[in-house]
């Protein structure tokens, strides 16, 4: 129909050729909607709750000549706005052209067809339509009109998509969780000995230092890739705490400015009355880094990036249909770059999908952000901002309670004071590395390779200040069970857990203990050891 920008779900309505006009409905050719209403068939269609329309293929552009109230309600259009129009007015930019072509071909052949197609309501919102189109023939065998029934199946499609996503997450989770343990142990050895070499080589030996730096940098990048996969699969362990995101953004601003470069102006627009939420601050900072890095690349390293916060009460925001109704804290990162191609917007959070040139990105940064947000009970979304550029938004569920106060100032960690450390590690290379690092830091170390060996050692000599144990070990008792036993029987011994594995059951049991993830750096291990040993009220 001239002037119409969209085609209808029933594409129903464009026959390839016009048949000879048959005598229809009482032997007359001037079939009208008023006469249709008197027909028992139309009377039945009119009262049913299923949306239905009838079109006349003998008129120009195969227009709708009858629709029931259910169809009007589903589409949001009044009867006067529907009658006389081709059904293509329900189609829009995201309507699948293949489904449209399938309906068109069936109409041309005067055959039945059933498709699922994305349609648009009058208010611009979309819905999935299960469409069935059938030709209606008279007693003489001639085509009289087309009849189309439809059903809004948006909820079913959303459920199917959620199931598909859950299955995909489970598959990725099994893969990444399974390889993370062994892979992180290998990286631990590489990174650990690189740190040891770095501390021992001659500062003037530039060739050796370049080699060590290259090893360390590559190991760090490999560890980051593993962590990003775990984040996307929602297999990372989150150690969340109650906090206000305005404070996190303020504390993290210096690092953000340094990471995005001098050509980017970083602006903040933070709500004064922002609610609190429970967040893993480390993962939240990583999410901000990934998105701001994406903004930097989108703007070519020159432009403006704005970080804004606000409170949101859903469901008035139509862009977050995957979230349950409720109260949320929203962090938005906007840039003034070219914006996002909406046809690929949903793919941006897929692992290994990237629009960057080869070698410029692994396609895991935004996937990590998405996985972290879903694991946190929230959601990450992307759209084009009102003033241009891309706008990424992170929705965190609101939480109640008082925010923890940070210490007055940083305390420089000291090295070991000859405290006795019982180290438990079943991987020989990792164990030898750990003992070397700990002894370099000044600790007295006893290394065993199983939980049973640790308990036997403690039975003979219980004068250890710290148990430093891997979580995943053979022999029937893992590191969490060992830590619980030590806490019960040797209360003067502090505990620090470590693991390169990700498992919800293990992570849940480890929450009452301090934990350091593999692969850890030498200085990081030193800091965590001192935090545990020097903690106010620690066991003595």
């Amino acid at each position: 129909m001239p002037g119409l920008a969209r085609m209808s779900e029933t594409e129903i309505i464009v026959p390839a050729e016009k048949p000879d006009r048959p005598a229809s409905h009482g032997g007359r050719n001037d079939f009208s909607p008023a006469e249709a209403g008197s027909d028992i068939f139309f009377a039945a269609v009119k009262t049913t709750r299923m949306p239905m329309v009838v079109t006349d293929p003998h008129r120009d552009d195969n227009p709708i000549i009858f629709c029931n109230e259910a169809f009007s309600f589903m589409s949001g259009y009044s009867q006067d706005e529907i009658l006389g129009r081709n059904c293509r007015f329900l189609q829009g930019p995201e309507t699948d052209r293949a489904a449209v072509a399938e309906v068109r071909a069936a109409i041309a052949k005067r055959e039945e067809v059933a498709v699922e197609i994305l349609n648009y309501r009058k208010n611009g919102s979309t819905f999935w339509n299960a469409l069935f189109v059938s030709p209606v023939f008279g007693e003489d065998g001639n085509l009289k009109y087309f009849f189309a029934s439809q059903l809004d199946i948006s909820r079913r499609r959303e459920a199917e998509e959620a199931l598909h996503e859950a299955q995909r997450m489970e598959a990725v989770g099994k893969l990444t969780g399974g390889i993370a343990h062994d892979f992180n142990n290998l990286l631990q050895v590489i990174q650990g000995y690189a740190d040891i070499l770095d501390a021992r080589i001659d500062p003037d030996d530039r060739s050796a230092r370049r080699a060590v730096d290259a090893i360390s940098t590559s190991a760090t990048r490999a560890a980051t890739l593993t962590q990003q996969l775990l984040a996307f699969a929602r297999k990372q362990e989150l150690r969340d705490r109650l906090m206000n995101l305005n404070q996190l953004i303020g504390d993290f601003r210096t690092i953000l400015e340094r990471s995005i470069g001098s050509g980017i102006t970083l602006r903040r627009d933070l709500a004064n009355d922002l609610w609190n939420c429970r967040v893993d601050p480390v993962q939240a900072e990583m999410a901000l880094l990934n998105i701001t890095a994406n903004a930097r690349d989108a703007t070519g390293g020159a432009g403006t990036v704005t970080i804004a916060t606000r409170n949101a009460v859903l469901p008035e925001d139509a862009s977050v249909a995957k979230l349950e109704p409720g109260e949320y804290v929203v962090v938005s990162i906007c840039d003034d770059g070219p914006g996002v191609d909406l046809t690929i917007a949903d793919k941006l959070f897929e692992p290994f999908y990237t629009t960057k040139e080869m070698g410029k990105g692994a396609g895991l940064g935004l996937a990590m952000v998405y996985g972290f947000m879903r694991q946190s009970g929230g959601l990450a979304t992307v759209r084009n901002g009102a003033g241009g550029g891309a706008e990424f938004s992170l929705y965190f569920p609101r939480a109640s309670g008082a925010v923890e106060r940070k210490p007055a100032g940083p305390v420089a960690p000291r090295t070991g004071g000859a405290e006795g450390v019982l180290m438990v590690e079943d991987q020989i290379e990792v164990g030898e590395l750990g003992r070397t690092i700990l002894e370099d830091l000044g600790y007295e170390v006893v290394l065993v390779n199983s939980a049973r060996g640790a308990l036997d050692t403690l039975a003979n000599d219980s004068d250890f200040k710290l148990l430093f144990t891997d979580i995943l070990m053979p022999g029937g008792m893992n590191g969490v069970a060992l830590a619980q036993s030590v806490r019960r029987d040797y209360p003067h011994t502090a505990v620090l857990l470590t693991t390169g594995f990700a498992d919800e059951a293990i992570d849940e049991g480890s929450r009452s203990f301090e934990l350091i993830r593999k692969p850890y750096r030498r200085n990081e291990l030193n800091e965590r050891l001192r935090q545990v040993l020097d903690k106010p009220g620690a066991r003595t």
Side-chain angles (χ1 to χ4, degrees):
M1 193 170 184
L4 293 179
R6 298 186 291 191
M7 293 170 45
S8 144
E9 87 252 40
T10 48
E11 179 49 285
I12 284 184
I13 294 176
V14 183
E17 59 181 355
K18 284 188 177 182
D20 293 336
R21 179 99 177 189
S24 63
H25 200 78
R28 290 175 295 167
N29 293 330
D30 55 341
F31 186 84
S32 70
E35 292 172 313
S38 64
D39 188 281
I40 188 171
F41 167 74
F42 287 93
V45 171
K46 182 177 181 179
T47 58
T48 185
R49 294 184 179 180
M50 177 174 285
M52 295 182 179
V53 300
V54 177
T55 69
D56 187 353
H58 306 296
R59 298 187 181 186
D60 290 339
D61 207 26
N62 196 12
I64 298 174
I65 60 170
F66 175 86
C67 72
N68 62 4
E69 292 183 2
F71 180 82
S72 179
F73 178 80
M74 180 182 71
S75 65
Y77 290 92
S78 68
Q79 298 262 337
D80 291 340
E81 293 173 312
I82 296 171
L83 297 180
R85 301 177 69 180
N86 183 289
C87 293
R88 68 176 66 93
F89 74 92
L90 291 180
Q91 295 180 6
E94 296 182 29
T95 302
D96 185 6
R97 296 296 103 186
V100 170
E102 185 178 353
V103 175
R104 177 182 293 156
I107 293 296
K109 297 177 182 179
R110 307 176 190 177
E111 297 176 346
E112 294 181 348
V113 64
V115 297
E116 293 183 1
I117 193 166
L118 188 70
N119 282 166
Y120 288 72
R121 299 183 181 90
K122 183 178 180 180
N123 63 8
S125 63
T126 60
F127 66 98
W128 278 100
N129 190 359
L131 172 66
F132 174 73
V133 182
S134 176
V136 179
F137 297 95
E139 293 181 0
D140 57 2
N142 289 324
L143 178 69
K144 296 178 65 177
Y145 34 73
F146 283 99
F147 167 75
S149 64
Q150 34 250 305
L151 183 65
D152 185 343
I153 57 169
S154 300
R155 290 186 177 274
R156 194 204 78 193
R157 292 283 299 217
E158 291 171 1
E160 290 176 348
E161 291 175 4
L163 176 61
H164 176 69
E165 182 181 6
Q167 292 172 335
R168 182 182 56 186
M169 292 300 99
E170 182 180 4
V172 175
K174 286 181 178 179
L175 174 63
T176 55
I179 68 172
H181 178 258
D182 291 339
F183 193 61
N184 282 332
N185 275 333
L186 293 172
L187 290 174
Q188 180 64 70
V189 174
I190 296 171
Q191 185 67 77
Y193 281 113
D195 286 343
I196 291 174
L197 287 174
D198 184 61
R200 296 182 180 181
I201 60 175
D202 186 341
D204 296 328
D205 191 341
R206 296 182 178 179
S207 177
R209 183 159 297 281
R210 280 197 302 270
V212 171
D213 288 344
I215 295 171
S216 181
T217 300
S218 296
T220 299
R221 291 179 61 187
T224 300
L225 287 174
T226 305
Q227 186 63 28
Q228 288 174 333
L229 278 172
L230 289 171
F232 175 75
R234 306 173 204 172
K235 286 291 186 179
Q236 64 183 347
E237 187 237 6
L238 296 182
R239 299 225 159 187
D240 53 23
R241 62 183 177 87
L242 190 68
M243 65 184 309
N244 192 284
L245 288 175
N246 282 351
Q247 179 181 344
L248 182 144
I249 293 169
D251 294 342
F252 200 52
R253 180 173 183 174
T254 301
I255 296 177
L256 287 175
E257 289 177 338
R258 186 165 60 246
S259 68
I260 62 178
S262 58
I264 300 290
T265 300
L266 184 65
R267 294 178 178 173
R268 294 184 297 172
D269 183 12
L270 309 181
N272 293 326
D273 58 346
L274 193 69
W275 296 328
N276 295 331
C277 54
R278 296 201 67 87
V279 181
D280 183 321
V282 175
Q283 297 301 326
E285 290 171 351
M286 287 296 296
L288 288 175
L289 275 176
N290 276 296
I291 296 178
T292 52
N294 195 73
R296 175 198 62 206
D297 295 340
T299 58
T304 300
V305 173
T306 302
I307 300 179
T309 59
R310 62 184 174 90
N311 300 322
V313 180
L314 303 183
E316 54 256 22
D317 192 334
S319 65
V320 285
K322 293 183 179 180
L323 278 180
E324 294 294 327
E327 297 177 328
Y328 292 85
V329 178
V330 186
V331 180
S332 297
I333 301 93
C334 308
D335 61 60
D336 55 1
V340 177
D341 182 352
L342 296 180
T343 62
I344 64 168
D346 290 341
K347 297 180 181 180
L348 292 179
F349 295 111
E350 295 285 340
F352 303 112
Y353 182 86
T354 179
T355 58
K356 299 177 183 178
E357 298 177 5
M358 183 68 70
K360 293 296 183 63
L364 283 172
L366 294 179
M368 185 201 76
V369 173
Y370 187 82
F372 161 62
M373 293 305 302
R374 294 305 277 169
Q375 191 175 359
S376 300
L379 186 69
T381 67
V382 61
R383 66 179 183 180
N384 287 322
E391 177 181 334
F392 287 85
S393 295
L394 308 180
Y395 287 76
F396 295 91
R398 180 186 183 182
S400 59
V403 177
E404 301 173 8
R405 295 300 176 185
K406 298 176 66 176
V411 178
R414 62 186 180 87
T415 55
E419 291 102 331
V421 175
L422 176 59
M423 182 176 181
V424 190
E425 174 59 64
D426 64 299
Q427 299 289 323
I428 296 176
E429 296 85 356
V430 178
E432 291 297 332
L433 167 68
R435 176 160 59 185
T436 300
I437 293 176
L438 290 171
E439 289 177 345
D440 280 353
L441 292 172
Y443 298 96
E444 295 180 358
V445 185
V446 173
L447 174 64
V448 295
N449 61 8
S450 67
R452 175 50 53 192
L455 292 177
D456 290 343
T457 301
L458 285 168
N460 294 323
D461 180 7
S462 62
D463 192 25
F464 287 95
K465 295 298 183 183
L466 179 81
L467 171 71
F468 179 42
T469 177
D470 190 21
I471 290 181
L472 191 65
M473 293 182 295
M477 177 182 282
N478 63 31
V480 174
L482 171 62
Q484 293 168 340
S485 178
V486 169
R487 172 177 284 177
R488 181 186 66 246
D489 299 332
Y490 305 95
H492 64 280
T493 302
V495 175
L496 177 61
L497 301 177
T498 185
T499 185
F501 189 69
D503 180 83
E504 292 181 1
I506 290 178
D507 288 340
E508 185 63 30
S510 69
R511 286 186 178 274
S512 60
F513 300 95
E514 294 293 328
L515 180 140
I516 184 171
R517 289 278 177 184
K518 296 178 182 176
Y520 48 79
R521 305 294 296 269
R522 182 179 185 274
N523 290 338
E524 182 186 4
L525 177 59
N526 180 40
E527 291 176 2
R528 296 304 299 276
L529 287 169
R530 295 321 315 173
Q531 288 174 3
V532 173
L533 290 169
D534 299 338
K535 186 177 181 180
R539 300 175 180 87
T540 58

